[in-house]
C-alpha cells in the first residue's frame, strides 16, 4: 500500500542533469532539482538561481494596465475622490496598503474599505458597496483582489456615474464586467507571460511601476524620486501568503522583497515582527516566517473582525500606534487558533461517527465560525488524506470551504454532483 508520508526520489534524465551540473558549476543534487522543475535549459536555470530586478518586464505590457494607470493619474491631477476596496486576506491588505501609500505621495487621499466577512461576504457585494458610498459617491472606484466576476455590482456603480478599475488575479466563472478597466492576467494575457501568476499585490506593484514610468516619460520630477523597491516588503508579504508559484516574476519580487522586509522602515512591519517573535530588524527572515508568523496574524483580523485594522497598522507612521495594532492582531490570532482547534476536534468526531469509510467528507455545524472553516478544511484534508468540505452557518445559509487532494479537481467534482 502506498504510504503518503514517504519520500520518493526520482532522478531526472542523466544527460540534462549533467549538462546543468557542468554549465552552471552546481552540485548534481541541485542540478537534478532544477531539471525536475522543468528548468533543463542552462540560461533559464541560471535566471532562476540568480533573479534580478532588471529581469522584470515592462509593466505597460500587461493588458489594460496602461489604461488603468492613466485613469488613476487623471484622478490625481483633477483631485477626484477615489474609493479603494480590498479583499480581507493578506494579498488584499497589502495591495490596498501599497496603492494608498503610493497615491498619498501625490497628495491624493483615497478612502479605503474592506468587506466585513460575516455581514457583507466576499468581494464587491452590494452591501460593502453601499457602505463604501455612504460617505460620499466617489468618481473612481478601484477594486483590489476581487471584482472579476462582479458583473451586476460593477453595472450598479456605473449606473451611479462611478468609473471602475479592477485589479485581480482570480479566474472568471460567470463572465467579466463590461465598461470598466480590468487588469487580470488570467483573463487577457498569454499563459507563458512572466506576470501570469502574479497575485494582486504583485499586479498593484506593476501598476505603480507603470504609473511611475508614465510620469517619468512626461518629465514629472517627483516620479524620479520614487524608490519602487521600498514597496517590495509589502509585495513579498502578500505573494508568499497567497501561495502563488514562486516562479518568473513572483520569484524576483519575493527574493528582493524579503531583503526589504528584513530592513523595512515601515512601523507596521517592525511592530508585527516584534509581536510575532521575529525581532524588529537584522534577522535572516525567511518566506516561512511570513507563512507561519506574519500572515496568520494579518489574516486573523479578516476572519474574526475587520481587516481594516492591519491596513491601518501598515500605513501608520507611529511605532507605538503600530505596536498597539499588532498586539490586537496577535490576540485575534490566538483566539482564531482556539476556535480552530475546537472545530477540528468536532469535525473529526463527525467523520469518525458518520463518514469513516467515505472517499470524501462534508461536515457541518451551525455553531462553527465561517471565518475559520477554510483553515479547518485544510487541516482535515491533511489529517484524513481525502477531500473535505467544512460548512458553518450564516443565517439560514450553510457556507464554507473545501480542500482537495492531488489528482482531484474539487470544483469539477462538485459540478458533476449538481443537478443535471
Amino acid at each position: 500500500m502506498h504510504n503518503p508520508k514517504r519520500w520518493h526520489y526520482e532522478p531526472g534524465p542523466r544527460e540534462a542533469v549533467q549538462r546543468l551540473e557542468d554549465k552552471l558549476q552546481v552540485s548534481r543534487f541541485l542540478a537534478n532539482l532544477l531539471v525536475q522543475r522543468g528548468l533543463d535549459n542552462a540560461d533559464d536555470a541560471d535566471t532562476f538561481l540568480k533573479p534580478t530586478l532588471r529581469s522584470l518586464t515592462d509593466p505597460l505590457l500587461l493588458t489594460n494596465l496602461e489604461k488603468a494607470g492613466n485613469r488613476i493619474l487623471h484622478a490625481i491631477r483633477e483631485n477626484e475622490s477615489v474609493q479603494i476596496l480590498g479583499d480581507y486576506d493578506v494579498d488584499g491588505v497589502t495591495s490596498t496598503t501599497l496603492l494608498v501609500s503610493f497615491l498619498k505621495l501625490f497628495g491624493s487621499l483615497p478612502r479605503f474599505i474592506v468587506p466585513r466577512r460575516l455581514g457583507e461576504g466576499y468581494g464587491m457585494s452590494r452591501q460593502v458597496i453601499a457602505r463604501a458610498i455612504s460617505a460620499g459617491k466617489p468618481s473612481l472606484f478601484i477594486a483590489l483582489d476581487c471584482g472579476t466576476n462582479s458583473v451586476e455590482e460593477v453595472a450598479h456603480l456605473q449606473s451611479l456615474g462611478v468609473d471602475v478599475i479592477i485589479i485581480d488575479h482570480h479566474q472568471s466563472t460567470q463572465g467579466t464586467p463590461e465598461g470598466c478597466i480590468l487588469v487580470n492576467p488570467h483573463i487577457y494575457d498569454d499563459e507563458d507571460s512572466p506576470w501570469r501568476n502574479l497575485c494582486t499585490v504583485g499586479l498593484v506593484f506593476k501598476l505603480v511601476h507603470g504609473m511611475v514610468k508614465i510620469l517619468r516619460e512626461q518629465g514629472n520630477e517627483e516620479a524620479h524620486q520614487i524608490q519602487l523597491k521600498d514597496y517590495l516588503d509589502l509585495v513579498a508579504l502578500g505573494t508568499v501568503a497567497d501561495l502563488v508559484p514562486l516562479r518568473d516574476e513572483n520569484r524576483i519580487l519575493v527574493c528582493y522583497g524579503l531583503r526589504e522586509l528584513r530592513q523595512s522602515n515601515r512601523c507596521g512591519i517592525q511592530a508585527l515582527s516584534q509581536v510575532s517573535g521575529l525581532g524588529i530588524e537584522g534577522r535572516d527572515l525567511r518566506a516561512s516566517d511570513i507563512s507561519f508568523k506574519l500572515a496568520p496574524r494579518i489574516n486573523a483580523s479578516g476572519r474574526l473582525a475587520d481587516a481594516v485594522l492591519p491596513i491601518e497598522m501598515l500605513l501608520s507612521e507611529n511605532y507605538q500606534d503600530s505596536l498597539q495594532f499588532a498586539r490586537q492582531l496577535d490576540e485575534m490570532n490566538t483566539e482564531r487558533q482556539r476556535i480552530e482547534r475546537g472545530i477540528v476536534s468536532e469535525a473529526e468526531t463527525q467523520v469518525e461517527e458518520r463518514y469513516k469509510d467515505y472517499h470524501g467528507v462534508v461536515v457541518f455545524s451551525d455553531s462553527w465560525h465561517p471565518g475559520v472553516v477554510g483553515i479547518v478544511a485544510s487541516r482535515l484534508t491533511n489529517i484524513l488524506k481525502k477531500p473535505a468540505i467544512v460548512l458553518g452557518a450564516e443565517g439560514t445559509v450553510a457556507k464554507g470551504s473545501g480542500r482537495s487532494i492531488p489528482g482531484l479537481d474539487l470544483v469539477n467534482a462538485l459540478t458533476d454532483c449538481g443537478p443535471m
Side-chain angles (χ1 to χ4, degrees):
M1 184 181 218
H2 173 64
N3 183 348
K5 293 184 179 180
R6 291 193 61 183
W7 289 79
H8 294 271
Y9 173 72
E10 296 181 6
R14 182 179 298 177
E15 289 184 5
V17 172
Q18 186 67 55
R19 186 166 59 248
L20 287 189
E21 192 178 348
D22 294 340
K23 287 190 175 183
L24 301 181
Q25 293 297 292
V26 297
S27 68
R28 177 159 299 184
F29 177 77
L30 179 55
N32 188 65
L33 288 176
L34 290 167
V35 170
Q36 287 183 336
R37 282 154 180 76
L39 295 163
D40 51 4
N41 177 281
D43 290 337
D44 292 341
D46 193 49
T47 299
F48 180 84
L49 293 175
K50 303 171 186 174
T52 64
L53 290 173
R54 291 190 302 274
S55 298
L56 291 174
T57 52
D58 181 350
L60 300 181
L61 293 174
L62 272 78
T63 304
N64 291 333
L65 190 136
E66 188 169 4
K67 288 182 182 178
N70 279 320
R71 179 62 186 89
I72 294 172
L73 292 174
H74 176 79
I76 293 172
R77 285 193 299 269
E78 299 300 319
N79 198 28
E80 292 181 351
S81 57
V82 177
Q83 173 74 61
I84 296 174
L85 166 68
D87 189 23
Y88 40 59
D89 66 0
V90 182
D91 188 21
V93 165
T94 51
S95 298
T96 304
T97 303
L98 199 164
L99 188 55
V100 170
S101 298
F102 179 80
L103 295 182
K104 282 185 173 181
L105 291 178
F106 295 91
S108 178
L109 297 174
R111 300 196 305 266
F112 57 90
I113 193 170
V114 180
R116 291 167 181 160
R117 194 171 195 140
L118 296 184
E120 296 169 339
Y122 165 78
M124 291 180 67
S125 67
R126 290 293 285 265
Q127 294 94 323
V128 76
I129 290 174
R131 181 161 63 92
I133 65 178
S134 65
K137 187 181 71 173
S139 297
L140 178 61
F141 191 102
I142 306 174
L144 304 177
D145 202 29
C146 59
T148 292
N149 297 293
S150 301
V151 176
E152 294 181 3
E153 292 79 6
V154 169
H156 170 64
L157 282 168
Q158 290 170 335
S159 73
L160 300 175
V162 179
D163 288 343
V164 179
I165 294 174
I166 296 170
I167 314 293
D168 194 14
H169 71 121
H170 292 98
Q171 303 282 350
S172 172
T173 59
Q174 54 191 36
T176 56
E178 296 181 357
C180 68
I181 300 173
L182 171 62
V183 177
N184 186 330
H186 291 283
I187 305 299
Y188 299 117
D189 296 271
D190 294 336
E191 288 190 12
D192 59 354
S193 301
W195 56 79
R196 170 81 172 188
N197 289 312
L198 291 175
C199 62
T200 302
V201 72
L203 294 172
V204 172
F205 179 79
K206 299 286 278 190
L207 172 67
V208 167
H209 185 186
M211 286 191 281
V212 168
K213 182 175 181 179
I214 292 169
L215 288 170
R216 287 176 178 173
E217 290 173 352
Q218 294 173 349
N220 185 293
E221 289 301 321
E222 287 180 273
H224 285 281
Q225 306 305 315
I226 294 173
Q227 297 293 320
L228 288 168
K229 68 180 181 61
D230 292 345
Y231 296 109
L232 290 176
D233 55 349
L234 296 172
V235 179
L237 190 54
T239 301
V240 173
D242 222 49
L243 300 176
V244 289
L246 294 184
R247 297 282 296 270
D248 301 318
E249 297 207 346
N250 275 331
R251 183 171 176 81
I252 298 170
L253 294 172
V254 170
C255 176
Y256 286 87
L258 284 172
R259 298 180 189 181
E260 294 301 317
L261 203 57
R262 292 177 189 125
Q263 57 191 20
S264 177
N265 292 321
R266 214 177 296 276
C267 292
I269 295 291
Q270 293 178 352
L272 189 63
S273 297
Q274 184 70 29
V275 302
S276 302
L278 299 175
I280 293 181
E281 60 182 352
R283 185 182 180 279
D284 186 20
L285 187 141
R286 300 171 181 272
S288 58
D289 293 320
I290 295 176
S291 299
F292 297 106
K293 292 185 179 293
L294 302 179
R297 286 169 170 81
I298 293 175
N299 272 329
S301 179
R303 294 184 188 282
L304 302 183
D306 191 337
V308 163
L309 178 66
I311 298 175
E312 297 282 10
M313 177 190 70
L314 292 170
L315 288 172
S316 175
E317 297 180 1
N318 181 289
Y319 179 73
Q320 290 304 317
D321 289 345
S322 296
L323 192 59
Q324 188 63 33
F325 288 134
R327 285 170 177 159
Q328 287 180 256
L329 293 176
D330 190 52
E331 291 172 2
M332 289 180 189
N333 190 51
T334 300
E335 175 66 7
R336 188 269 306 169
Q337 290 172 326
R338 185 192 66 78
I339 293 171
E340 178 192 326
R341 285 193 297 269
I343 297 177
V344 168
S345 177
E346 292 179 23
E348 286 186 286
T349 300
Q350 280 194 30
V351 171
E352 187 67 25
E353 292 176 350
R354 306 176 194 174
Y355 310 113
K356 187 175 181 180
D357 298 323
Y358 283 63
H359 295 298
V361 300
V362 179
V363 291
F364 164 79
S365 172
D366 57 11
S367 66
W368 291 348
H369 196 297
V372 181
V373 292
I375 307 177
V376 174
S378 295
R379 295 274 188 270
L380 212 56
T381 297
N382 288 336
I383 292 169
L384 301 174
K385 308 302 179 190
K386 60 179 70 173
I389 297 174
V390 182
L391 303 170
E394 285 191 18
T396 58
V397 177
K399 194 171 183 180
S401 190
R403 298 292 184 272
S404 191
I405 56 175
L408 176 67
D409 186 320
L410 192 56
V411 173
N412 287 337
L414 291 173
T415 302
D416 291 342
C417 293
M420 301 300 290

